[in-house]
Amino acid sequence: MAQPSGRHFLQIPGPTNVPDRILRAMGRPTIDHRGPEFAALGQEVLQGLKGVFQTAGPVVIYPASGTGAWEAALVNTLTPGDHVLMFETGHFATLWRQLAERLGLTVDLVPGDWRRGVDPAAVEAKLAEDRAQTIKAVCVVHNETSTGVASRIPEVRAAIDRAQHPALFFVDTISSLASIDYRHDAWGVDVTVAGSQKGLMLPPGLSFNAISAKALEATETAGLSRSYWDWSEMLGPNSKGFFPYTPATNLLYGLKEAIAMLNEEGLANVFARHNRHAEATRRAVRAWGLELLCADQREYSSSLTAVLMPAGQDADTFRKVVLDNYDMSLGSGLGKVAGKVFRIGHLGDFNDLTLAGTLAGVEMSLAVAGVPHAKGGVQAAMDFLAGRNAALGENLELRDSLAS
Ligand SMILES: Cc1ncc(COP(=O)(O)O)c(C=O)c1O
């Protein structure tokens, strides 16, 4: 097949577009991972990550996809037969549950309709009725990438506290870290699970655990078998910038650049940018007369939007029209919502015009595919984006006139 001209629009909710700066950083020659130059790199990225996770504690880096970091969180802290409280918020929560069961954990599952996040009241009720304190961990996916629903982590923490329950709190931030506000320490999380290929703007291949003091303490009694994932194997060499096995050196070059880019923009600005693009996207979806999968506006995701197809229309047929006509990849419906939704990724290295192009591709494809819709989605998004900029411009003028 001939290479289409222009660039491919990779608008799935991760892996995301890797900026040129990061690609160039990764293109440097690989160095000795036991030498002094590597030690400086290791220390810099391990330290820099603390800012991204908003933690003073250790963050470990695995050369693995996010699934590895899911497993690491469980095997370092729990014992076969332990109960864990999980919530059926979507496809990724379901996969984490399967992983936990395969490890020999007993999962207490709160069922869900894949349109809502974790209900803090349900957390409190479940923990309050667990008088024997058999539940050892509460596991929540912060941003369900399959549904575009973001659970309210501080409220879940408050629910655990109200129940006065000692369970550990594990949060998967694979599609929220560095795109949606997240604070490991302030929100009292024990293990944060994350991956490289979304808000961090890196290729797939790295995953992370941020670890609280309570989680570290749990390793002393945790009975699940572990070797590759063992935090204690990591933390010793990490203190000098090294790893217990061959690290993904070139991905770490990229990570160093990604952390620099996030710091240059400022995390608060990164979050505000994602919020703004998500709001513009929702305005487009509403103008098209289509429905958001997320049913609760308190839980709208800022990194992706999942859109329900009208009855009788297949989302994958639509995505094929988008790819064939406009060389753009949108996210597919996963698991229970396969064929029913498509997902627009608006996270990572992304700006107003990337969003305008993405939405234009969707709107044109709705017409090409004959999907019933109203026109004007792109316009609604542009009005929002330009309106905000106009307001910002006026504010700057006002500020300048006051200053002069
Ligand atoms: C929220 C969430 N959790 C876990 C995973 C699994 O990560 P990986 O596919 O990198 O193993 C993903 C992947 O997209 C995800 O979005």
Side-chain angles (χ1 to χ4, degrees), residues 120-293:
V123 175
E124 187 175 351
K126 279 280 178 192
L127 294 181
E129 76 192 24
D130 178 37
R131 291 204 184 80
Q133 300 186 336
T134 51
I135 295 172
K136 299 299 175 204
V138 176
C139 302
V140 173
V141 175
H142 181 202
N143 187 68
E144 224 333 319
T145 324
S146 61
T147 63
V149 175
S151 287
R152 289 161 285 149
I153 301 303
E155 291 183 39
V156 176
R157 176 72 253 175
I160 299 171
D161 293 344
R162 274 197 304 278
Q164 297 185 327
H165 197 287
L168 293 158
F169 186 26
F170 298 163
V171 181
D172 167 343
T173 64
I174 288 180
S175 60
S176 57
L177 189 85
S179 43
I180 301 175
D181 190 12
Y182 182 79
R183 307 167 192 205
H184 176 88
D185 285 2
W187 295 353
V189 179
D190 292 301
V191 185
T192 297
V193 172
S196 55
Q197 72 271 30
K198 309 212 185 217
L200 285 174
M201 306 173 287
L202 292 161
L206 294 180
S207 57
F208 311 93
N209 278 173
I211 308 165
S212 75
K214 183 172 161 187
L216 264 186
E217 207 180 294
T219 61
E220 285 162 26
T221 49
L224 277 167
S225 298
R226 56 187 181 272
S227 171
Y228 184 77
W229 306 114
D230 197 332
W231 293 335
S232 62
E233 295 286 316
M234 273 282 199
L235 293 173
N238 276 185
S239 66
K240 297 189 168 56
F242 293 115
F243 286 76
Y245 37 65
T246 314
T249 309
N250 291 54
L251 280 169
L252 298 179
Y253 294 153
L255 177 59
K256 179 178 157 184
E257 197 66 24
I259 294 169
M261 289 174 73
L262 292 168
N263 288 338
E264 283 164 26
E265 184 173 357
L267 267 189
N269 296 326
V270 171
F271 301 146
R273 170 165 60 80
H274 283 80
N275 290 340
R276 181 165 169 273
H277 289 142
E279 175 59 26
T281 304
R282 291 189 293 269
R283 285 177 188 229
V285 172
R286 288 195 198 99
W288 291 324
L290 299 180
E291 196 182 340
L292 300 167
L293 182 61

